[in-house]
Amino acid sequence: MATQSPKNDLDYRPSYLAAAVAAGLVFALYVLTLSPDTAMWDTSEYIAAAYTLGIPHPPGNPFFVLLGRVFTLLPVAPTIAMRVNLLAALSSAVAAGMWFLITERVLVSWLAQRWQRVAGGSLAVLIGATAFTVWAQSVVNEKVYTVSLAGMAIVAWITVRWCDDPDGRKADRALVLVAYLLGLGYAVHMAGVLAAPAVGLAVLIRRPKTILRWKLLLACGAALVFGGSSFLTQPLRAAHFPAVNEGEPTACRTELNLKCTFSEGTYTAFMYNFNRGQYGKPELNERQAPVTAQIGMWWLYFKWQWIRDAHGITPGLQGSLASVFLVLGLLGGWVHWRRDPRSFAFFGPLMFTVTLVLIIYLNFKYGASQAPELGDSVAREVRDRDYFYLWSFSAWSVWAALGLMYVWESIAAVIAREKQRLGTELIELPTTRAWAISSPVLLLAFVPLFANWQAASRHGQTDTADFAIDMLNSVEPYGILVTVGDNDTFPLWYAQEVLGVRKDVLVANTSLLNTDWYTRQMLRRPVYDYDAANGPAVYRGKKWDKPVGKPFDMSMDEADAVPLGQELTQPQLFVKDHIRAIVKPRFLARADMFVLQMIKTGRRPMFFSRTSGGYGQELGLGPYLLTNGLARKLLPDSVKVGGDTVYVQNEGFVDVGRTDALAKAFRAPASLIRKNDWVDKPSVGIPYLYVSTYFVLSDAKSKQGDVKGAADALASARAVAKATQLDKELGLDSPPPPPPPMVSGDSVRKTQVPLQKRP
């Protein structure tokens, strides 16, 4: 494509070196604040999937998994997690470089000097890279969105260049490349095609005859399909049964072979996964919240970008900054339209797509932190969804930078102006001295860098991995641990599959137990040897027999046939040895049936994560549960008070000796105190669990007359509470209530067995 405009002799040569330097500085910032480990929500799932070449939750993100696997093999960081996190950092840095080039390109028809245009591009990089959500997602691979962002930004730059010369020698090849990148982006995340409508509209505006060129359209279609072809790896990889194999898009049950791979069953399973049938998203006309509330959610998260006031300390400042950056962006969009309609033909529709169209399409409920005064009177998302607008907040930096450049120019023009040549024209522009005098206005772009550093930085944070290890170590060798959500399950997968910690424990997530593929995986999972040398000291000195057999006595076909659930209209008696549990009338879900079946089979010790709240009690098992650290052990007979067993109000029976020994070996409290904050409220149940555990231990030791031990445990509770800001919410003058059930999260909250059984 052309580098000069024959009409007005403007210099359209991109400053690739300056863009690379800017992107390099962003990458350095992200490395400086990079997480050395995993984090809450989907981070552990994706790192484990990349490491095991597995399949994360539907539709599976196959190209990300392949790319992530490559990064796990590169010796660029000391840990697997850091290597995958570096992929996120590098992706966002590449996107920042693209926004630099686009901003600079828009300024070509506006400002005469290259240094001015480089300054504009640098502002876009600074604003976009330090917006809270962009920064926070770039220093730990919590999702796949940073890789998707890089793809969208590259597509945006290529399309802007195409708009300059749609009839040029390389124009057709550019469109084919864009189509390929869109397909590749879809294999990273469905949002990889967010730029497609804007690309199509730009083509119609700049070269409408393109739609009549069937060969070019055919080439673009082929490139799009080829870009997404990594989805074809899923049935093949699924049939190798990796440790992370969500959705299991294959009809093969024991091994990979041609007959089961090329079958209707595999096609049905693959399409069910590809279309995310597990989640049952409502139709767009079935609004989950008023559109005004959904726009309000975007505005809430937009306010977060410029100062993440997680604890509501400076709401006025946060709102004011958001208003300023909103006005700057709208002003920049207007200037973009007036000064460079060619590139606006693409970028304008792109911004419309990643804001209003995306808001309407996502059709979210009220945000987890939105309108707290409404409480539980409205349906809410299980977590804050700011990351879904990552593309919006990142791309907004282009318009915000253009708006700031316009303000800077306007102030400088008041100070002094002179005639300057812009292309073939002589126009009045501010003098160099005037630009310098008015430059303090640019300090506004530095606000997010300093305002978001503490909230966005993940430097040195290991609390999630530490929690996972603490939880697994609360389970006896070869135990089954019942969990309920993302945050008490995915970190355990990471600890087991990436760190190799306590693989002898079988994790049974109640939401995933409602699917057929998960129960099959539990039946397949081998019994791993217990690593006594690296296990907790409390389990040493005793022989732990390795169990033989499956966790429940069913074939895969029998497990598949278990229904979604059944309504119990009368109390039911469940009997196992001396356990006589009364299950009250309720809807007995498929997961409940499997939990009871594992107890009935009795090959392995059963533990319930304390993040499951009162789940064990709901099954009538309360009298048989004994608290051990972060979990509750199911005993073969009713628990009796005496010796190390103490009854604690609101918790139940506690094994004081074992809980104390486990607590002394806990890793997470120290890392939580070192972190000294907890930004994400929906996952605050994790530090709350430690506060509650220490209070329970303090109460139990007090009952035993151990005054010093009780005081030490109470001090630990208060230290964790203070570090995570829970002391302000709980008061801590008296023991807090027991931990609430874990928020289920994205991957499991809507998980259901298909109404029609998959082949």
Side-chain angles (χ1 to χ4, degrees):
M1 287 182 281
T3 58
Q4 298 273 7
S5 171
K7 277 190 175 182
N8 49 21
D9 201 31
L10 296 174
D11 185 3
Y12 285 104
R13 292 173 299 171
S15 300
Y16 284 117
L17 178 59
V21 170
L25 290 174
V26 168
F27 183 67
L29 171 67
Y30 291 159
V31 170
L32 186 63
T33 55
L34 193 76
S35 169
D37 219 314
T38 187
M40 288 295 160
W41 302 109
D42 296 351
T43 311
S44 298
E45 175 196 14
Y46 279 111
I47 294 175
Y51 183 64
T52 62
L53 204 62
I55 301 175
H57 64 269
N61 320 98
F63 187 69
F64 168 82
V65 171
L66 294 172
L67 196 59
R69 175 58 180 166
V70 171
F71 267 73
T72 66
L73 299 174
L74 298 176
V76 293
T79 67
I80 297 299
M82 283 190 74
R83 295 172 189 178
V84 180
N85 293 340
L86 280 172
L87 170 60
L90 180 62
S91 299
S92 291
V94 169
M98 298 301 106
W99 300 144
F100 177 104
L101 293 170
I102 291 172
T103 306
E104 182 203 29
R105 162 62 192 78
V106 175
L107 293 172
V108 166
S109 58
W110 174 2
L111 299 176
Q113 303 298 318
R114 180 175 288 270
W115 72 264
Q116 298 162 340
R117 303 193 294 269
V118 169
S122 301
L123 289 175
V125 168
L126 179 60
I127 293 170
T130 58
F132 169 74
T133 299
V134 179
W135 192 349
Q137 289 283 322
S138 302
V139 294
V140 66
N141 195 83
E142 199 260 303
K143 289 280 189 180
V144 299
Y145 296 147
T146 53
V147 179
S148 178
L149 173 66
M152 187 185 82
I154 293 170
V155 165
W157 171 237
I158 295 172
T159 307
V160 165
R161 294 286 285 162
W162 179 89
C163 288
D164 283 340
D165 193 7
D167 294 306
R169 181 171 56 88
K170 299 180 180 179
D172 288 354
R173 278 182 276 179
L175 288 181
V176 174
L177 177 59
V178 164
Y180 172 72
L181 291 174
L182 289 173
L184 208 61
Y186 192 84
V188 171
H189 187 272
M190 294 175 293
V193 295
L194 272 176
V199 171
L201 193 56
V203 169
L204 289 175
I205 294 172
R206 297 291 294 141
R207 193 173 69 174
K209 64 182 181 181
T210 299
I211 63 174
L212 302 177
R213 299 180 58 198
W214 66 269
K215 288 185 178 179
L216 176 59
L217 295 179
L218 190 63
C220 288
L224 181 71
V225 172
F226 183 65
S229 61
S230 57
F231 273 103
L232 298 178
T233 64
Q234 288 187 325
L236 302 178
R237 183 56 184 156
H240 284 87
F241 312 114
V244 180
N245 193 13
E246 298 187 61
E248 197 176 287
T250 178
C252 301
R253 294 292 179 258
T254 56
E255 63 179 359
L256 174 69
N257 61 59
L258 289 176
K259 184 177 179 181
C260 61
T261 300
F262 294 96
S263 67
E264 181 182 354
T266 290
Y267 175 79
T268 302
F270 173 78
M271 292 307 298
Y272 182 81
N273 222 44
F274 184 81
N275 293 323
R276 303 180 84 241
Q278 178 172 305
Y279 297 105
K281 187 83 172 176
E283 298 295 329
L284 286 180
N285 60 353
E286 300 175 28
R287 306 310 299 174
Q288 298 196 92
V291 173
T292 53
Q294 293 171 338
I295 294 173
M297 178 197 280
W298 181 90
W299 172 243
L300 171 67
Y301 299 147
F302 186 82
K303 289 192 293 184
W304 288 7
Q305 302 314 302
W306 322 116
I307 176 171
R308 179 66 171 97
D309 183 22
H311 308 294
I313 299 172
T314 56
L317 176 61
Q318 185 187 62
S320 299
L321 281 171
S323 298
V324 168
F325 279 98
L326 179 68
V327 171
L328 284 176
L330 294 175
L331 180 61
W334 175 77
V335 174
H336 189 177
W337 171 63
R338 290 293 301 272
R339 300 290 178 91
D340 188 34
R342 291 194 306 192
S343 61
F344 186 86
F346 163 73
F347 204 80
L350 176 66
M351 290 303 300
F352 181 71
T353 301
V354 298
T355 51
L356 188 59
V357 172
L358 188 60
I359 290 169
I360 300 299
Y361 175 76
L362 290 173
N363 189 19
F364 284 139
K365 303 170 187 174
Y366 277 82
S369 300
Q370 183 184 5
E373 68 279 3
L374 297 178
D376 295 330
S377 66
V378 294
R380 295 185 179 275
E381 296 295 320
V382 296
R383 59 175 298 195
D384 284 305
R385 304 295 189 183
D386 56 306
Y387 55 88
F388 267 107
Y389 300 111
L390 174 85
W391 308 279
S392 175
F393 303 143
S394 181
W396 191 265
S397 65
V398 174
W399 278 3
L402 292 176
L404 189 54
M405 289 296 294
Y406 181 82
V407 171
W408 186 22
E409 180 197 29
S410 299
I411 296 173
V414 172
I415 298 172
R417 290 179 291 179
E418 64 181 4
K419 293 282 187 180
Q420 295 184 32
R421 182 172 297 280
L422 182 63
T424 58
E425 301 178 21
L426 278 177
I427 61 173
E428 280 198 340
L429 289 172
T431 64
T432 302
R433 181 172 175 274
W435 284 105
I437 293 173
S438 56
S439 61
V441 72
L442 303 183
L443 292 176
L444 184 62
F446 287 85
V447 169
L449 172 64
F450 296 102
N452 288 329
W453 189 292
Q454 181 176 352
S457 174
R458 309 274 187 143
H459 178 73
Q461 294 181 10
T462 62
D463 48 279
T464 301
D466 292 339
F467 155 71
I469 295 170
D470 292 344
M471 177 62 78
L472 288 169
N473 282 338
S474 294
V475 181
E476 289 179 358
Y478 303 113
I480 296 174
L481 177 63
V482 178
T483 62
V484 296
D486 286 8
N487 286 331
D488 62 354
T489 300
F490 293 157
L492 309 190
W493 291 1
Y494 167 82
Q496 291 183 318
E497 304 306 329
V498 179
L499 302 181
V501 173
R502 295 301 308 274
K503 296 185 73 172
D504 61 287
V505 175
L506 178 63
V507 178
N509 179 281
T510 55
S511 295
L512 296 180
L513 278 169
N514 284 327
T515 66
D516 50 5
W517 56 266
Y518 187 68
T519 50
R520 288 197 295 269
Q521 289 178 26
M522 291 188 70
L523 288 170
R524 288 193 199 97
R525 184 175 174 85
V527 180
Y528 292 91
D529 291 331
Y530 171 59
D531 183 3
N534 293 311
V538 71
Y539 301 139
R540 293 173 190 162
K542 180 180 178 181
K543 186 175 184 298
W544 300 95
D545 294 327
K546 183 177 180 179
V548 178
K550 300 173 182 178
F552 44 89
D553 289 326
M554 288 186 183
S555 67
M556 290 187 188
D557 288 339
E558 289 171 337
D560 287 351
V562 173
L564 179 59
Q566 65 183 66
E567 195 70 42
L568 299 183
T569 58
Q570 296 180 353
Q572 300 291 315
L573 177 64
F574 172 80
V575 178
K576 166 63 178 174
D577 297 331
H578 295 288
I579 295 176
R580 300 179 65 82
I582 304 296
V583 184
K584 295 180 180 179
R586 54 172 286 169
F587 181 78
L588 193 70
R590 172 186 165 95
D592 304 332
M593 299 178 193
F594 278 105
V595 169
L596 293 174
Q597 183 62 41
M598 285 186 280
I599 296 172
K600 192 81 171 177
T601 302
R603 291 198 177 93
R604 305 174 71 156
M606 287 293 298
F607 285 76
F608 291 81
S609 167
R610 291 179 59 229
T611 56
S612 64
Y615 178 65
Q617 288 84 343
E618 292 172 12
L619 296 179
L621 301 171
Y624 308 93
L625 295 175
L626 180 64
T627 294
N628 285 217
L630 303 183
R632 298 186 181 105
K633 180 182 179 181
L634 180 68
L635 299 187
D637 203 345
S638 56
V639 185
K640 300 292 189 296
V641 172
D644 260 351
T645 301
V646 172
Y647 184 83
V648 175
Q649 189 70 30
N650 294 326
E651 173 61 30
F653 300 101
V654 179
D655 185 330
V656 182
R658 180 169 289 186
T659 298
D660 186 36
L662 290 169
K664 287 177 180 176
F666 281 166
R667 300 159 58 110
S671 54
L672 288 168
I673 293 169
R674 185 172 63 249
K675 181 178 179 178
N676 200 35
D677 200 3
W678 192 274
V679 174
D680 180 51
K681 294 300 182 186
S683 62
V684 77
I686 299 302
Y688 189 107
L689 177 64
Y690 285 96
V691 174
S692 171
T693 300
Y694 282 125
F695 261 106
V696 166
L697 187 58
S698 176
D699 195 351
K701 282 181 170 289
S702 179
K703 290 179 183 297
Q704 289 185 326
D706 184 354
V707 178
K708 183 180 182 303
D712 290 344
L714 186 60
S716 296
R718 287 177 170 159
V720 174
K722 182 179 179 181
T724 56
Q725 309 290 321
L726 281 169
D727 58 333
K728 297 180 178 65
E729 297 182 22
L730 299 175
L732 300 186
D733 292 328
S734 59
M742 182 64 56
V743 174
S744 58
D746 281 338
S747 303
V748 298
R749 67 189 174 96
K750 291 183 179 177
T751 303
Q752 294 182 347
V753 176
L755 294 180
Q756 293 183 341
K757 186 165 97 54
R758 281 167 34 187

